[in-house]
Amino acid sequence: MASKFKPIGDRVLVLPSKEGEVKKGGIIIPDTAKEKPQEGKIVALGTGKTDDNGKKVAFEVRIGDRVVFAKYGGTEIKFDGEEHVILREEDILGVLNN
Amino acid sequence: MASKFKPIGDRVLVLPSKEGEVKKGGIIIPDTAKEKPQEGKIVALGTGKTDDNGKKVAFEVRIGDRVVFAKYGGTEIKFDGEEHVILREEDILGVLNN
Amino acid sequence: MASKFKPIGDRVLVLPSKEGEVKKGGIIIPDTAKEKPQEGKIVALGTGKTDDNGKKVAFEVRIGDRVVFAKYGGTEIKFDGEEHVILREEDILGVLNN
Amino acid sequence: MASKFKPIGDRVLVLPSKEGEVKKGGIIIPDTAKEKPQEGKIVALGTGKTDDNGKKVAFEVRIGDRVVFAKYGGTEIKFDGEEHVILREEDILGVLNN
Amino acid sequence: MASKFKPIGDRVLVLPSKEGEVKKGGIIIPDTAKEKPQEGKIVALGTGKTDDNGKKVAFEVRIGDRVVFAKYGGTEIKFDGEEHVILREEDILGVLNN
Amino acid sequence: MASKFKPIGDRVLVLPSKEGEVKKGGIIIPDTAKEKPQEGKIVALGTGKTDDNGKKVAFEVRIGDRVVFAKYGGTEIKFDGEEHVILREEDILGVLNN
Amino acid sequence: MASKFKPIGDRVLVLPSKEGEVKKGGIIIPDTAKEKPQEGKIVALGTGKTDDNGKKVAFEVRIGDRVVFAKYGGTEIKFDGEEHVILREEDILGVLNN
């Protein structure tokens, strides 16, 4: 499904984890958090950001990474019945290691 | 029709998909999305952005690409009875592959 | 008339099309557009923008071009009874080809 | 009088035209203009802007030029009974040629 | 626990000190402070910021450092029952030496 | 007195003229001015601004210069009973010549 | 005490003067000042700012300097019963010489 969509620039496509999956994974986002982070999986990387010297900047994340991201700033979109989020890499806070 | 209009700089001209076409294409934009993305086809590329070293930056999208874009920031315009949108490439979130 | 006025920097002087002329030209601007674009003709180019290396940047538009521009940001001024608009090239969305 | 005051940086000192003079000069500023431009004469140039490489940038305007400027952002000041305006060159929209 | 999470870019993962621990450590944050700083321990460093020349910038802090940070701008997250904060290094005010 | 205080960076220390002195000097600031400029004398220059290449930028003003400045942004401070203003050089509009 | 805390980046740690000490020192901050400056002593310098070329920028102030600073933007913190302020060097207006 993800192969159906190529993000532009420094954007990535993320498949957010479902409520139940997150609890098993071990992170809990407190209700009191100002800007609630969310967990998900990277399903597509963008064409890449271009730096001031015209060179492409490599992504810090890879397809398949389980990530924590700030929902704010993302754009929700549905592919084949699954809700996805288009984000800038900037809005990914970190990667969860198994 | 598109050949009638050459966007300036990093702008592109997009022909938005009609309601029915989008449903067949498989993406659905949730009603709850803060900033609703839209689907459309690139019909003209601009003269190109110039980087800090005075060199033209190539577009990441091509004429004919089916794209998802953030409507916000675009300018609506009608050519030969068809509604179009003039956008900066920056506002294109990604390309849909068939 | 235009020769009476030399814009400074990356500004251009535009003679907006009159209501009737626009309709013949084929573009129609929808009433629902947030930031209504307008049609007009370039009648004077500025002294040019200077880039970070101190070099003048060439204009993408030429005198005589029929352009679509975002009215927002422009300054209205009257020469010899004709209303004109002083704009930055940045506010020109594209050029109409005949 | 103007020789009494040396503007700092990219500022210029302008002597605004009086109501009657402007009408003779041929430009009329419509009442509907959002940010009303004004006509005047350059009476002093600043010490000059310094670019990123530490070099002084030449002014696009010269002493004696009749200019149209955006009043917004300028500072009014009176020398020898005449009202003047201190402006950045950036706020000068263009030069009127006789 | 911290090894479970790799922050992206110039972010760090901080384990905030508990109320009692802070008092023993000797710093007291006045109630009148506009933007209340907090004490904690660095438990993970990010992948690093990339400068304009494409080189990674080294962190000023190290894992294990006891730091004072501005809570504002951080994102709260819970790993294995412990509340953590994801911060940019920029939001760390200083390091406490024993 | 001024020698008691060394401003940091691109700041200068200014001794504002007293009401009566200004009138003799010949400039009058209209009551209608949006951002009222003021007259004063430079009594100390800062340590200097550092440009992008790490070089100190020379001041355009000198100690003893009679200047017109925008009061907005300055910080009032009293040395030996005299009110002074700490300003960035940027806020000095120009120098008055005798 | 100060040796217990190393500020990060271009920050400094300042011990504000007590009411009585300031009056003896000779500066008086008027009650009418918009953004009240304060007097204090530098007790610790940060790790230093890094410029665009990756080089550390030297501080303009030294440990022991008596400084005037804009309280706005600083963060209050207490070490061993003494209230301190963490500031960016940018917020230090100048140094008082004895």
Side-chain angles (χ1 to χ4, degrees):
Chain A
M1 290 107 240
S3 63
K4 279 192 177 168
F5 183 74
K6 182 67 178 173
I8 293 291
D10 62 339
R11 291 181 182 93
V12 296
L13 183 69
V14 171
L15 178 67
S17 303
K18 289 188 187 64
E19 200 82 351
E21 290 170 24
V22 178
K23 272 175 188 150
K24 274 185 275 171
I27 76 159
I28 297 163
I29 287 94
D31 282 344
T32 57
K34 271 171 300 194
E35 184 191 310
K36 255 196 176 175
Q38 226 178 324
E39 192 184 322
K41 198 172 69 178
I42 303 280
V43 289
L45 298 179
T47 52
K49 188 157 86 172
T50 305
D51 73 10
D52 287 356
N53 302 316
K55 279 195 294 199
K56 287 285 184 186
V57 180
F59 280 94
E60 301 279 0
V61 293
R62 282 167 304 181
I63 289 179
D65 277 356
R66 282 204 307 135
V67 296
V68 174
F69 61 94
K71 203 173 165 180
Y72 178 92
T75 304
E76 296 173 14
I77 195 163
K78 214 171 194 169
F79 292 104
D80 303 310
E82 293 270 29
E83 290 225 22
H84 289 73
V85 181
I86 307 168
L87 291 170
R88 293 186 178 277
E89 192 186 26
E90 172 69 23
D91 295 323
I92 295 178
L93 303 173
V95 177
L96 291 158
N97 305 312
N98 295 102
Chain B
M1 291 106 242
S3 63
K4 278 191 178 170
F5 183 73
K6 181 68 178 172
I8 294 292
D10 61 340
R11 291 180 181 92
V12 296
L13 184 68
V14 171
L15 178 67
S17 303
K18 287 185 190 66
E19 201 82 350
E21 289 171 25
V22 178
K23 272 177 187 147
K24 273 183 276 170
I27 76 159
I28 296 162
I29 287 93
D31 282 343
T32 57
K34 271 172 301 194
E35 184 191 310
K36 255 196 175 173
Q38 225 178 325
E39 192 184 322
K41 198 172 71 178
I42 303 280
V43 289
L45 298 179
T47 53
K49 189 157 86 172
T50 305
D51 74 11
D52 288 356
N53 303 317
K55 279 195 294 198
K56 287 286 184 185
V57 180
F59 279 95
E60 302 278 1
V61 294
R62 282 167 304 181
I63 289 179
D65 277 356
R66 282 203 307 134
V67 296
V68 174
F69 61 93
K71 203 173 165 180
Y72 179 92
T75 304
E76 296 173 14
I77 196 163
K78 213 171 195 168
F79 292 103
D80 302 311
E82 293 271 29
E83 290 224 21
H84 290 73
V85 181
I86 307 168
L87 291 169
R88 293 186 179 278
E89 192 187 24
E90 172 69 23
D91 295 324
I92 295 176
L93 302 173
V95 177
L96 291 158
N97 305 312
N98 294 104
Chain C
M1 292 107 239
S3 63
K4 278 192 178 170
F5 183 74
K6 182 68 179 172
I8 294 291
D10 61 340
R11 291 181 182 91
V12 296
L13 184 68
V14 172
L15 178 67
S17 303
K18 287 186 190 65
E19 201 82 351
E21 289 171 24
V22 179
K23 273 176 187 148
K24 272 184 277 169
I27 75 159
I28 296 162
I29 287 95
D31 281 344
T32 57
K34 271 172 302 195
E35 184 191 310
K36 254 194 176 176
Q38 225 178 324
E39 191 184 322
K41 199 173 69 180
I42 303 280
V43 289
L45 298 178
T47 53
K49 189 158 84 173
T50 305
D51 74 10
D52 288 356
N53 303 316
K55 280 195 294 199
K56 287 286 184 184
V57 180
F59 280 93
E60 301 278 1
V61 294
R62 283 167 304 181
I63 290 179
D65 276 357
R66 282 203 308 134
V67 295
V68 174
F69 60 95
K71 203 172 165 181
Y72 178 91
T75 304
E76 296 173 15
I77 196 163
K78 213 171 194 168
F79 292 103
D80 302 311
E82 293 271 28
E83 290 223 22
H84 290 74
V85 180
I86 307 167
L87 291 169
R88 293 185 179 277
E89 192 187 24
E90 172 68 23
D91 295 324
I92 295 177
L93 303 173
V95 177
L96 292 158
N97 305 313
N98 294 103
Chain D
M1 292 107 240
S3 63
K4 279 191 178 170
F5 183 75
K6 182 68 178 173
I8 294 291
D10 61 340
R11 292 181 181 92
V12 297
L13 184 67
V14 171
L15 178 67
S17 303
K18 288 187 189 64
E19 202 80 351
E21 290 170 24
V22 179
K23 274 178 187 148
K24 271 184 279 169
I27 76 159
I28 296 162
I29 288 95
D31 282 342
T32 57
K34 271 172 301 195
E35 185 191 310
K36 252 193 177 178
Q38 225 178 325
E39 192 184 322
K41 198 173 69 180
I42 302 280
V43 290
L45 298 179
T47 53
K49 189 157 84 173
T50 305
D51 73 10
D52 288 355
N53 303 316
K55 281 195 294 198
K56 287 286 184 184
V57 180
F59 280 94
E60 301 278 1
V61 293
R62 282 167 304 181
I63 290 179
D65 276 357
R66 282 202 309 134
V67 295
V68 174
F69 61 94
K71 202 173 167 181
Y72 178 91
T75 305
E76 296 174 13
I77 196 164
K78 214 170 193 169
F79 292 104
D80 302 310
E82 293 271 28
E83 291 224 21
H84 290 73
V85 180
I86 307 168
L87 291 170
R88 293 186 179 277
E89 192 187 24
E90 172 68 24
D91 294 323
I92 295 177
L93 302 173
V95 177
L96 292 158
N97 305 312
N98 295 103
Chain E
M1 290 107 240
S3 62
K4 281 192 177 167
F5 184 74
K6 182 68 178 172
I8 294 291
D10 62 338
R11 291 181 181 93
V12 296
L13 183 68
V14 171
L15 178 67
S17 302
K18 291 189 186 65
E19 200 82 351
E21 289 170 26
V22 178
K23 273 176 186 148
K24 272 184 277 170
I27 75 159
I28 296 162
I29 288 95
D31 282 342
T32 57
K34 270 171 301 193
E35 184 192 311
K36 254 196 177 176
Q38 226 178 324
E39 192 185 322
K41 199 172 68 180
I42 303 280
V43 289
L45 298 179
T47 52
K49 188 157 86 172
T50 305
D51 73 10
D52 287 356
N53 302 316
K55 279 195 295 199
K56 287 285 183 184
V57 179
F59 279 94
E60 301 279 0
V61 293
R62 283 167 304 181
I63 289 179
D65 276 357
R66 283 204 307 135
V67 296
V68 174
F69 60 95
K71 203 173 164 180
Y72 178 92
T75 304
E76 295 173 15
I77 196 163
K78 213 172 194 167
F79 292 103
D80 303 310
E82 294 270 30
E83 291 224 22
H84 290 73
V85 180
I86 307 168
L87 291 169
R88 293 186 178 278
E89 191 186 25
E90 173 68 23
D91 294 324
I92 295 177
L93 303 172
V95 177
L96 291 158
N97 305 312
N98 294 104
Chain F
M1 290 108 242
S3 63
K4 279 191 179 169
F5 183 75
K6 181 68 179 175
I8 294 292
D10 62 340
R11 292 180 181 93
V12 297
L13 185 67
V14 171
L15 179 67
S17 303
K18 290 188 188 63
E19 201 81 349
E21 291 170 24
V22 178
K23 273 176 185 149
K24 272 185 277 169
I27 76 159
I28 296 162
I29 288 95
D31 283 342
T32 57
K34 271 171 300 195
E35 185 191 310
K36 252 193 177 178
Q38 226 178 324
E39 191 184 323
K41 198 172 69 180
I42 303 279
V43 290
L45 298 179
T47 52
K49 188 157 85 174
T50 305
D51 72 11
D52 287 357
N53 302 315
K55 280 195 294 199
K56 287 285 184 184
V57 180
F59 280 94
E60 302 278 2
V61 294
R62 282 167 305 180
I63 289 179
D65 276 357
R66 282 203 308 134
V67 295
V68 174
F69 60 94
K71 202 173 166 180
Y72 178 91
T75 305
E76 296 174 14
I77 196 163
K78 214 171 194 169
F79 292 104
D80 303 310
E82 294 271 29
E83 291 224 21
H84 290 73
V85 180
I86 307 168
L87 291 169
R88 292 185 180 278
E89 193 187 23
E90 172 69 23
D91 294 324
I92 295 177
L93 303 173
V95 177
L96 291 157
N97 306 311
N98 294 104
Chain G
M1 291 110 241
S3 63
K4 279 192 178 168
F5 183 75
K6 182 67 178 174
I8 294 292
D10 62 339
R11 292 181 180 92
V12 297
L13 184 67
V14 171
L15 178 66
S17 303
K18 290 188 187 64
E19 201 82 349
E21 290 170 25
V22 179
K23 271 174 186 151
K24 272 185 278 170
I27 76 159
I28 296 163
I29 288 95
D31 282 342
T32 57
K34 270 171 302 193
E35 185 191 311
K36 254 195 176 176
Q38 225 178 324
E39 191 185 322
K41 199 172 68 179
I42 303 280
V43 289
L45 298 179
T47 52
K49 188 157 86 173
T50 305
D51 73 10
D52 287 356
N53 302 316
K55 279 195 295 198
K56 287 286 184 184
V57 179
F59 280 94
E60 302 278 0
V61 293
R62 281 166 306 181
I63 289 179
D65 276 357
R66 283 203 307 134
V67 295
V68 174
F69 61 95
K71 202 173 165 180
Y72 178 91
T75 305
E76 295 173 16
I77 196 163
K78 214 172 195 168
F79 292 103
D80 303 310
E82 294 271 29
E83 291 223 21
H84 290 73
V85 181
I86 307 168
L87 291 169
R88 293 186 179 278
E89 192 186 24
E90 172 69 23
D91 294 324
I92 295 177
L93 302 173
V95 177
L96 291 157
N97 305 311
N98 294 104

